[in-house]
Amino acid sequence: MAQNQTKYSFIAEEIRKRIMNHAYPLNQPIPDEITLAKEFDCSRMTMKKALEVLVLEGLLYRKRGHGTFIIKSALDADRLQIHNQEVNGFTKLLNGKKVISKVIEFKVIFPTEEIAERLHIEMETPIYDILRVRLVKDEPYVLEHTYMPVGVIPGINQQILEGSIYSYIQDELNLKIASSYKQIRADKATLLDQQYLDCASDDPVVEVEQTVYLNNGLAFEFSRSRHRYDKFVFTTVNIARR
């Protein structure tokens, strides 16, 4: 279990891996809370919380009187699942697959009025201006344009950008990523998309614009990520509360 990782999030991560690796049959419920609690040596409440994480992610659903089942559509192997609660980075999303990050542009600038507003900073505050393309098996998946305040996330360099920025933030700076505000829209492929995502001029692109916050309330990222339409599925889960 990673440092600062809660027990329930560790369990959720382990069960998530099992689901994605088809360790549980799709036409039967997964083991019940009591069985899993014994296996993971935790309380039933902790196990319930771990399973709730996966329900909110759209991997599991509960059927009263019958148990907890895997949502089959969540195992679409051709497209990455991005959930509306997702605050992890792209590398974490790939769950072990090798991600290559190619840095197209990296510099320190002063923000425009719009970027300063999104990051809740003054226009005299220096920020990183980062443009990267993320590849899986040498195939481009997403083009990321990211802005981060230098004072909030110090020490960013080329080596970090070629890996995972979020891993650096959490493991090296010991900062906790808490929440994000996202807007998702469809767009036409731009010249940059065509160049770096291998898009055709008439291909659609899904753009995710987000501001991401640390648990101390500071905004540390404003970004626009351009996703290839054939590589991602965006999932929203709504649960009726009685």
Side-chain angles (χ1 to χ4, degrees):
M1 187 164 61
Q3 186 179 11
N4 298 327
Q5 187 176 26
T6 60
K7 179 76 171 180
Y8 78 85
S9 65
F10 168 77
I11 294 170
E13 185 174 323
E14 290 299 308
I15 295 177
R16 186 186 300 111
K17 289 177 182 177
R18 295 182 184 183
I19 292 170
M20 302 311 294
N21 290 328
H22 304 278
Y24 299 124
L26 293 178
N27 58 348
Q28 298 176 22
I30 67 170
D32 59 58
E33 288 178 5
I34 295 176
T35 301
L36 288 170
K38 287 180 180 178
E39 178 186 351
F40 284 94
D41 190 25
C42 68
S43 68
R44 187 173 178 180
M45 183 62 67
T46 297
M47 181 53 61
K48 183 176 182 180
K49 195 170 183 180
L51 294 179
E52 184 69 17
V53 170
L54 302 180
V55 169
L56 291 172
E57 287 184 3
L59 286 176
L60 297 175
Y61 73 97
R62 292 192 172 99
K63 190 174 181 181
R64 187 181 295 274
H66 293 82
T68 303
F69 293 80
I70 297 168
I71 296 177
K72 296 179 183 179
S73 62
L75 301 183
D76 186 342
D78 296 328
R79 300 190 182 191
L80 292 176
Q81 298 277 338
I82 297 183
H83 307 284
N84 61 330
Q85 296 89 5
E86 184 68 57
V87 292
N88 293 308
F90 185 71
T91 302
K92 184 77 170 179
L93 178 65
L94 266 291
N95 196 26
K97 294 182 182 179
K98 186 177 181 181
V99 177
I100 296 174
S101 303
K102 289 190 176 179
V103 181
I104 301 167
E105 189 172 80
F106 173 45
K107 57 187 177 181
V108 175
I109 63 170
F110 292 110
T112 63
E113 185 175 353
E114 179 195 13
I115 295 170
E117 182 179 334
R118 297 301 181 92
L119 288 172
H120 313 296
I121 58 176
E122 301 296 327
M123 293 181 66
E124 295 78 19
T125 305
I127 62 170
Y128 302 112
D129 182 351
I130 304 161
L131 184 63
R132 300 189 299 172
V133 61
R134 316 300 296 279
L135 303 97
V136 182
K137 295 181 179 179
D138 296 321
E139 194 171 13
Y141 271 54
V142 58
L143 181 65
E144 299 176 345
H145 201 167
T146 305
Y147 306 94
M148 293 182 171
V150 175
V152 178
I153 309 296
I156 294 289
N157 56 35
Q158 184 81 13
Q159 183 179 359
I160 291 167
L161 294 179
E162 290 174 354
S164 168
I165 299 177
Y166 276 31
S167 292
Y168 170 74
I169 290 171
Q170 295 170 311
D171 300 336
E172 300 297 325
L173 298 181
N174 294 316
L175 298 173
K176 186 174 178 57
I177 299 169
S179 62
S180 65
Y181 173 76
K182 298 181 183 179
Q183 292 182 321
I184 302 174
R185 61 178 70 89
D187 198 6
K188 296 178 180 178
T190 65
L191 291 177
L192 273 180
D193 298 328
Q194 294 171 50
Q195 180 179 357
Y196 292 107
L197 293 179
D198 292 342
C199 292
S201 59
D202 56 351
D203 277 348
V205 173
V206 179
E207 182 180 83
V208 178
E209 182 180 283
Q210 68 173 1
T211 304
V212 192
Y213 298 85
L214 299 172
N215 66 338
N216 58 11
L218 287 177
F220 75 91
E221 174 192 323
F222 171 63
S223 62
R224 292 189 180 98
S225 299
R226 310 276 291 182
H227 297 74
R228 275 188 35 174
Y229 78 94
D230 58 338
K231 297 299 181 185
F232 295 86
V233 172
F234 292 82
T235 304
T236 298
V237 180
N238 297 301
I239 300 174
R241 303 292 183 183
R242 294 183 179 179

